[in-house]
Amino acid sequence: MSFDRRKFIKRLIIAAAAIEGFFLIKGGVSKVSHIEKKKELFNAGNVNTFHSNKTYPFVTGQFFLRRFKDGGFLAMSVKCTHLGCIVDSNLKTGGYNCPCHRSQFNQFGEVLAAPATRPLDYFPITIENGELLIDTSAPVKRKSFDKSQLTYA
Ligand code: FES
């Protein structure tokens, strides 16, 4: 009788370990899939609705869409690169000002005044059927602006 009890307890422990192992593996897999960010494409609208040399704020997408004189588009994050406050667009200069510690950025998102030390992040843009799709899941950090960051229709 005691032999059966030992055998039963041993099997119970093995079963519990197997169940725990299953949930650990399952939890690990679900954590990995959580880490893989899903692309979040924000449809900003048709290319032809945006005038050159103008900035358009997208509050829900948390970016500023700027169309430059040459027609190129740049979608910049509204988050200041100093400590993450939301920057305001400066209508006079076409740049951006941070209300928290007064960093200033030019129209390309480059730093004009510290304490921020790097430009505003930007989001990749693709154009499909004339629609501007902004990938807000993938902010790109940069050291400076260059034309390769612009997207053209
Ligand atoms: S958070 Fe923008 S300057 Fe500090």
Side-chain angles (χ1 to χ4, degrees), residues 4 11 27 29 31 36 42 45-46 51 69 97 111 130 132:
D4 287 339
R11 284 182 180 169
V29 169
K31 277 181 188 166
E36 289 176 20
F42 186 102
N46 190 281
H51 302 289
K69 283 182 183 171
N97 298 335
V111 177
L132 283 166

Side-chain angles (χ1 to χ4, degrees), residues 29-103:
V29 169
S30 72
K31 277 181 188 166
V32 169
S33 63
H34 257 327
I35 289 169
E36 289 176 20
K37 277 192 164 184
K38 193 180 171 197
K39 257 191 174 185
E40 294 167 28
L41 296 179
F42 186 102
N43 188 335
N46 190 281
V47 171
N48 297 323
T49 60
F50 299 101
H51 302 289
S52 65
N53 206 25
K54 202 166 177 196
T55 300
Y56 299 86
F58 284 85
V59 176
T60 52
Q62 298 206 333
F63 63 87
F64 290 105
L65 180 67
R66 172 89 183 165
R67 188 168 200 185
F68 293 93
K69 283 182 183 171
D70 68 354
F73 288 97
L74 184 63
M76 284 173 282
S77 171
V78 298
K79 288 184 185 169
C80 179
T81 53
H82 177 227
L83 293 175
C85 287
I86 306 300
V87 297
D88 300 318
S89 63
N90 184 331
L91 296 175
K92 286 182 187 168
T93 65
Y96 309 91
N97 298 335
C98 182
C100 293
H101 311 103
R102 300 183 185 216
S103 284

